[in-house]
């Protein structure tokens, strides 16, 4: 076995939404594999606290934090200025930020559904474009987009969220083919319910939780670390011939017809 194919030493990964949930678990997993990380989230104080904790856990890695809203173009540019100033080149981009306000379709105002699409799709699209000049310089360059089972089948999340995640999965397929000649692999993950701050309110309703578990072959909610592991695998040199793929992290949910 070539152990180096299962390591990310010397690679710089940008993880958006890295201060909690799936993003934080991903930053930790990638750091554990040797990667240096730039963590991005909006709440600066919380982000710095998380960075300090990770820095203690991984004293040999370079762990940087930059507070930004990746839904705002000026702030996306600031993230890449920050990376340029570090003098390090990015080789991995994890587009993890996503938001939702679930409602019946007829109840959305135009600004509400546009915000979901802007944050979940256009920000990831722009982050990919901004990262390209740096990714193209690396032998093991990759992007992983955090989609959702909601982008692959209908679940009760509201249609704009489903549309946005479907678009993110299609962006993944398009870039995988377009940027293959640039040596950039582009993949996605599709989680079903994962235990995070974001999913907590819905899962706190015992009847709803029962319904979710009833529809989940593995009869449990996923953990952020289980999504992070799939993301990390897609980043590794070990996944060097995998591009345009989507790994469902869903306890069998998508395969459960009846
Ligand atoms: N949890 C689930 O069950 C589940 C299932 C399927 C898919 N997903 C997807 O997984 C991703 C992560 O979800 P999660 O449950 O881990 O969320 P979470 O626990 O709410 O964490 C969200 C993270 O993103 C940051 N963030 C949010 N909006 C941001 C923005 N505009 N710019 C920069 N940072 C931002 C948050 O920090 P700040 O608030 O400080 O910015 C936080 O670090 C999302 O794309 C979600 O759609 C989640």
């Amino acid at each position: 076995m070539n152990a180096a194919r299962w390591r990310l030493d010397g690679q710089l990964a940008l993880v958006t939404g890295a201060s909690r949930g799936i993003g934080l678990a991903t930053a930790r997993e990638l750091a554990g594999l040797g990667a240096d990380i730039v963590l991005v989230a909006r709440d600066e104080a919380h982000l710095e606290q998380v960075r300090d904790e990770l820095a203690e856990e991984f004293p040999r890695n370079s762990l940087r934090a930059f507070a930004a809203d990746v839904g705002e173009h000026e702030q996306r540019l600031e993230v890449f200025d920050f990376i340029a100033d570090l003098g390090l080149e990015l080789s991995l981009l994890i587009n993890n930020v996503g938001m939702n306000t679930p409602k019946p379709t007829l109840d959305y105002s135009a600004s509400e559904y546009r915000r979901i699409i802007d944050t979940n799709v256009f920000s990831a699209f722009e982050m990919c474009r901004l990262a390209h000049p740096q990714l193209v310089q690396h032998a093991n360059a990759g992007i992983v987009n955090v989609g959702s089972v909601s982008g692959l089948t209908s679940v009760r999340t509201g249609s704009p969220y489903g549309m946005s995640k479907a678009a993110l999965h299609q962006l993944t397929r398009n870039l995988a083919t377009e940027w293959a000649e640039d040596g950039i692999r582009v993949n996605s993950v599709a989680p079903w319910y994962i235990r995070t701050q974001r999913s907590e309110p819905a899962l706190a309703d015992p009847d709803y939780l029962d319904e979710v578990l009833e529809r989940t072959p593995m009869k449990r909610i996923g953990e952020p670390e289980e999504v992070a592991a799939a993301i990390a695998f897609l980043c590794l040199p070990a996944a060097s011939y995998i591009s345009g793929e989507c790994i469902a992290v869903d306890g069998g949910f998508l395969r459960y017809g009846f």
Side-chain angles (χ1 to χ4, degrees):
M1 189 190 75
N2 180 353
R5 289 178 60 70
W6 297 89
R7 296 285 306 169
L8 292 172
D9 300 295
Q11 293 210 225
L12 179 66
L14 167 55
V15 182
T16 71
S19 65
R20 284 198 305 270
I22 293 169
L24 172 56
T26 300
R28 180 173 276 123
E29 192 79 24
L30 298 179
L33 291 165
D36 297 325
I37 317 281
V38 175
L39 307 124
V40 173
R42 292 165 302 180
D43 178 341
E44 188 165 15
H46 179 59
L47 183 65
E48 285 296 343
Q49 184 191 326
V50 163
R51 192 215 71 88
D52 291 350
E53 283 165 18
L54 286 178
E56 233 172 80
E57 221 173 301
F58 303 101
R60 293 216 298 253
N61 303 54
S62 160
L63 298 162
R64 314 287 177 132
F66 190 81
D69 182 340
V70 299
E72 300 291 333
H73 192 60
E74 285 306 314
Q75 296 188 40
R76 288 192 289 265
L77 293 176
E78 286 170 18
V79 171
F80 284 89
D81 285 347
F82 173 78
I83 293 171
D85 289 347
L86 292 177
L88 301 169
E89 263 167 19
L90 195 66
S91 56
L92 298 166
L93 168 65
I94 316 301
N95 284 313
N96 166 67
V97 163
M99 58 89 62
N100 194 19
T101 40
K103 288 184 180 188
T105 296
L106 297 177
D107 292 353
Y108 282 100
S109 68
S111 65
E112 281 171 333
Y113 69 71
R114 281 177 195 279
R115 182 156 171 257
I116 295 171
I117 311 277
D118 267 350
T119 309
N120 296 1
V121 184
F122 292 130
S123 74
F125 175 75
E126 290 290 5
M127 293 296 283
C128 291
R129 294 187 337 151
L130 288 166
H132 180 275
Q134 298 199 29
L135 299 182
V136 76
Q137 321 234 8
H138 284 269
N140 179 51
I143 298 174
V144 181
N145 294 317
V146 179
S148 169
V149 296
S150 318
L152 301 166
T153 189
S154 171
V155 292
R156 294 174 228 168
T157 52
S159 54
Y161 183 78
M163 287 157 61
S164 74
K165 292 297 188 179
L168 193 59
H169 289 300
Q170 188 56 36
L171 172 67
T172 304
R173 298 180 198 111
N174 274 72
L175 293 188
T177 55
E178 192 180 330
W179 290 355
E181 65 183 20
D182 298 330
I184 304 169
R185 296 182 301 103
V186 188
N187 291 290
S188 65
V189 293
W192 171 226
Y193 267 113
I194 304 299
R195 201 172 296 284
T196 68
Q197 187 168 316
R198 187 187 138 83
S199 62
E200 204 178 289
L203 299 177
D205 173 348
D207 294 336
Y208 186 72
L209 177 62
D210 279 351
E211 273 190 83
V212 169
L213 296 178
E214 184 58 34
R215 282 290 291 114
T216 308
M218 290 178 74
K219 302 288 177 229
R220 67 176 177 85
I221 301 300
E223 299 299 330
E225 292 72 22
E226 295 179 295
V227 184
I231 294 171
F233 168 67
L234 292 169
C235 289
L236 285 165
S240 52
Y241 202 49
I242 300 176
S243 196
E245 265 309 318
C246 171
I247 300 183
V249 186
D250 69 346
F253 170 81
L254 282 175
R255 299 291 174 249
Y256 192 26
F258 179 66

